[in-house]
């Protein structure tokens, strides 16, 4: 059966794409962004309160963890979200084709809310059902981050699409920053209860979804950008995916997320680790503020998007090269306290450019295929994104073990003081003694475990980023994603 949207479009002359951004495009961008940000809180609360805090809560509140061997399941708490997202990435294209990007975004938010509610209800009881909820959350997350930028792409013309989609790409860094910054405080406000903490984020995600449903609408014919909202059959858009540039971008984006996820998961824990054990010894509030700000540097993406918009088409690939090169250098410096400032600088450069470039470039390669092609391209990009993130939790498990052990030294010392009737004034001497004992036992953060897990993969990403360079024919003036003259003739 043919698509009604496609039939309607075929029966009437297409309106000329707008050159000026419609005023209502900006509210649509904002609510689409909020729909994704709302899900981040439900996804990233664990790094926001840190793994050691969650582990200690489970030991006290979930009888399943009376057996210490069961703590090995903690890697799945973060790992199952990208697994769910990976599975849902490609099917989202079919949802967009069937229901349109707005309805698909709402399906994604709804799925994330249901998954988060299941996790909240079972975190203190059945841990396997809790993990199932995390998996369902991942299904909703992927659906939202494919359909959301598809919504945005149909509103913004070529002249502003780069910065608009770069703004949308801030969903993760903004959400992760806020999560790092507020989760510790919210956790204490709700009685230091992991279930209550998650119910708060269920409510936030639901409210953001309702706001999106009320505000967002599809553009009218006179408001449409060069990306047509037409939902063509998938078979009709496959010819736009014979692109070396697109596939290099997708694989490189997977590498970017593999590397970046390591920092967002472990940064706050590292900042709280005692100095003599390789960290900074900051308290939870300070670590949350500065760790959140560093991770949120992807919010500089609009600046990178402006750079992308101003860069000639034949040179846009250089923005991708600079981004992945910055993140690779950052990985070589990561988790060394003495290199903290340059580490932060290169991390910011990498995030600013890659968050600004990767999603905005997808419509550039496939825009002639309309909403179906854009959604399909973003599905593959999302597939790469979460394939990268799945690997992170497991590849860096040895590093995480050492980091968690070092961080727990201070946490356990404080708990021992309170259990013996001491006060916060006794924390310093107790932590100092515990740190000396840990040093004698060889407990410390080993940055080289992170180096060998990250830097070689970053070098591969740098090579792939060069593959985003246009061919000589494209550099001479043929836009990426435009069919050949034979294809164009066949369409008329």
């Amino acid at each position: 059966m043919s698509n009604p949207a496609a039939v309607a479009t075929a029966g009437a002359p297409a309106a000329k794409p707008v050159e000026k951004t419609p005023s209502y495009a900006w509210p649509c961008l904002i609510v689409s962004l909020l729909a994704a940000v709302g899900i981040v809180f439900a996804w990233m609360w664990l790094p926001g309160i840190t793994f050691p805090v969650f582990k200690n809560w489970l030991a006290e509140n979930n009888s399943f963890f009376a057996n210490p061997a069961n703590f090995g399941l903690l890697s799945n708490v973060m790992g199952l979200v990208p697994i769910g997202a990976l599975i849902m990435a490609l099917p989202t294209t079919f949802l967009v084709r069937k229901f349109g990007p707005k309805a698909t975004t709402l399906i994604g938010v709804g799925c994330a809310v249901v998954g988060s509610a299941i996790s909240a209800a079972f975190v203190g009881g059945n841990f396997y059902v809790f993990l199932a909820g995390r998996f369902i959350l991942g299904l909703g997350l992927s659906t939202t981050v494919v359909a959301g930028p598809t919504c945005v792409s149909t509103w913004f013309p070529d002249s502003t699409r780069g910065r608009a989609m770069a703004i949308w790409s801030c969903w993760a860094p903004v959400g992760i920053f806020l999560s790092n910054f507020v989760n510790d405080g919210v956790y204490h406000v709700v009685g230091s209860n992991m279930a209550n903490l998650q119910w708060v984020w269920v409510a936030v995600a639901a409210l953001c979804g309702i706001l999106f449903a009320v505000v967002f609408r599809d553009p009218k014919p006179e408001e449409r950008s060069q990306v047509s909202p037409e939902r063509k059959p998938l078979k009709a858009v496959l010819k736009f995916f014979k692109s070396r540039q697109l596939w290099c971008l997708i694989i490189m984006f997977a590498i970017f997320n593999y590397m970046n996820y390591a920092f967002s998961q472990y940064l706050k824990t590292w900042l709280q680790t005692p100095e003599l054990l390789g960290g900074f010894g900051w308290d939870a509030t300070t670590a949350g503020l500065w760790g959140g700000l560093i991770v949120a540097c992807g919010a500089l993406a609009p600046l990178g998007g402006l750079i992308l918009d101003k860069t000639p088409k034949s040179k846009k690939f250089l923005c991708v090269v600079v981004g992945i090169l910055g993140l690779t250098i950052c990985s070589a410096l990561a988790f060394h306290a003495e290199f903290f400032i340059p580490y932060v600088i290169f991390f910011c450069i990498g995030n600013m450019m890659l968050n600004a470039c990767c999603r905005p470039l997808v419509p550039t390669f496939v825009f002639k295929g309309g909403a179906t092609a854009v959604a399909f391209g973003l599905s593959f990009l999302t597939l790469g994104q979460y394939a990268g993130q799945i690997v992170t939790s497991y590849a860096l498990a040895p590093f995480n073990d050492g980091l968690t052990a070092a961080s727990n030294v201070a946490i356990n010392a404080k708990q021992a003081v309170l259990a013996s009737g001491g006060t916060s004034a006794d924390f310093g001497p107790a932590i100092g003694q515990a740190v000396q004992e840990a040093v004698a036992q060889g407990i410390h953060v080993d940055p080289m475990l992170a180096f060998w897990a990250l830097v070689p993969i970053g070098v591969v990403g740098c090579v792939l980023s060069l593959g985003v360079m246009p061919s000589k024919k494209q550099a001479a003036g043929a836009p990426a994603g435009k069919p050949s003259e034979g294809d164009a003739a066949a369409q008329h």
Side-chain angles (χ1 to χ4, degrees):
M1 182 179 292
S2 62
N3 185 345
V7 172
T9 304
K16 184 179 179 181
V18 298
E19 298 298 331
K20 185 179 179 181
T21 306
S23 59
Y24 199 70
W26 297 104
C28 289
L29 168 61
I30 291 170
V31 294
S32 178
L33 173 61
L34 288 176
V37 170
I39 298 176
V40 176
F41 290 103
W43 170 29
M44 295 297 291
W45 57 265
L46 176 52
I49 61 168
T50 74
F51 281 85
V53 172
F54 185 48
K55 181 178 180 180
N56 293 335
W57 185 88
L58 287 171
E60 296 175 2
N61 295 275
N62 192 318
S63 59
F64 181 67
F65 291 96
N67 179 1
N70 291 333
F71 282 111
L73 291 171
L74 291 185
S75 292
N76 294 312
V77 179
M78 295 303 294
L80 278 171
V81 176
I83 288 174
L86 183 77
I87 290 172
M88 197 61 199
L90 290 178
T92 299
T93 297
F94 297 95
L95 293 178
V96 171
R97 156 90 174 129
K98 179 72 174 178
F99 302 110
K102 177 178 180 178
T104 303
T105 300
L106 292 173
I107 291 171
V109 174
C111 194
V113 168
V114 170
S116 300
I118 292 173
S119 293
F122 288 94
V123 66
N126 190 320
F127 198 73
Y128 288 104
V129 178
F130 163 80
L131 291 177
R134 295 287 290 176
F135 174 78
I136 295 170
L137 166 63
L139 299 178
L141 176 66
S142 180
T143 303
T144 304
V145 300
V146 170
T150 305
C151 290
V152 173
S153 69
T154 61
W155 270 102
F156 286 86
D158 289 344
S159 59
T160 57
R161 189 183 307 115
R163 71 200 75 171
M165 293 191 70
I167 291 171
W168 193 94
S169 295
C170 291
W171 69 278
V174 168
I176 292 171
F177 161 67
L178 293 174
S179 183
N180 273 274
F181 183 55
V182 307
N183 257 295
D184 189 65
V186 174
Y187 177 60
H188 288 96
V189 167
V190 299
S192 299
N193 186 297
M194 292 293 171
N196 292 342
L197 176 68
Q198 292 177 78
W199 281 118
V200 170
W201 303 135
V202 169
V204 169
L207 287 172
C208 289
I210 292 170
L211 184 63
F212 173 81
V214 172
V215 174
F216 186 87
R217 65 169 173 82
D218 292 328
K220 299 174 183 176
E222 65 273 15
E223 296 172 318
R224 292 174 181 171
S225 72
Q226 286 80 2
V227 178
S228 168
E230 181 182 2
R231 305 201 298 271
K232 298 179 180 180
L234 186 60
K235 185 178 180 180
V237 303
L238 291 180
K239 60 177 173 286
F240 300 105
F241 288 82
K242 299 175 182 178
S243 169
R244 174 255 304 163
Q245 294 170 270
L246 178 62
W247 290 107
C248 283
L249 182 71
I250 289 168
I251 300 172
M252 195 280 305
F253 193 60
I255 289 173
F256 161 51
N257 278 276
Y258 163 73
M259 299 167 73
N260 211 41
Y261 206 46
F263 303 121
S264 64
Q265 282 195 65
Y266 308 123
L267 179 59
K268 187 175 178 181
T269 304
W270 177 50
L271 294 176
Q272 293 182 71
T273 299
E275 289 183 62
L276 288 179
L277 302 182
F280 280 75
W282 292 351
D283 60 79
T285 301
T286 304
L289 173 60
W290 290 105
L293 283 172
I294 294 167
V295 172
C297 67
L300 297 171
L303 176 58
L306 180 61
I307 295 171
L308 182 69
D309 282 340
K310 299 297 183 182
T311 303
K313 287 185 177 181
S314 62
K315 303 296 183 183
K316 289 186 187 295
F317 78 97
L318 292 175
C319 297
V320 180
V321 174
V322 169
I324 192 63
L325 182 62
L327 204 62
T328 303
I329 295 173
C330 162
S331 298
L333 304 175
F335 304 108
H336 290 270
E338 64 271 26
F339 297 139
F340 185 64
I341 299 301
Y343 151 75
V344 171
I345 291 172
F346 283 107
F347 182 72
C348 290
I349 291 172
N351 272 266
M352 179 182 75
M353 297 310 300
L354 293 175
N355 276 298
C357 295
C358 294
R359 280 191 176 85
L361 283 175
V362 170
T364 301
F365 299 138
V366 300
F367 71 95
K368 288 290 185 179
T372 302
V374 172
F376 198 40
L378 290 170
S379 289
F380 277 113
L381 197 74
T382 303
L383 195 70
Q385 175 179 354
Y386 292 109
Q389 290 184 10
I390 287 170
V391 178
T392 304
S393 296
Y394 304 105
L396 273 85
F399 171 76
N400 183 35
D401 290 343
L403 177 65
T404 300
S407 178
N408 262 333
V409 170
I411 293 174
N412 293 338
K414 289 180 180 180
Q415 289 180 337
V417 167
L418 296 175
S420 64
T423 67
S424 58
D426 302 315
F427 285 167
I431 292 173
Q433 180 180 350
V435 167
Q436 293 299 326
E437 294 173 355
V439 170
Q441 297 172 24
I443 296 174
H444 69 286
V445 177
D446 185 356
M448 293 310 296
L449 291 174
F451 178 96
W452 293 115
L454 296 172
V455 174
I457 305 300
V459 172
V460 175
C462 291
V463 173
L464 288 169
S465 69
L466 295 174
V468 184
M469 182 190 307
S471 65
K472 292 182 179 180
K473 179 180 178 182
Q474 290 169 334
K482 184 174 182 178
S484 66
E485 291 182 7
D487 290 333
Q491 293 176 15
H492 293 285

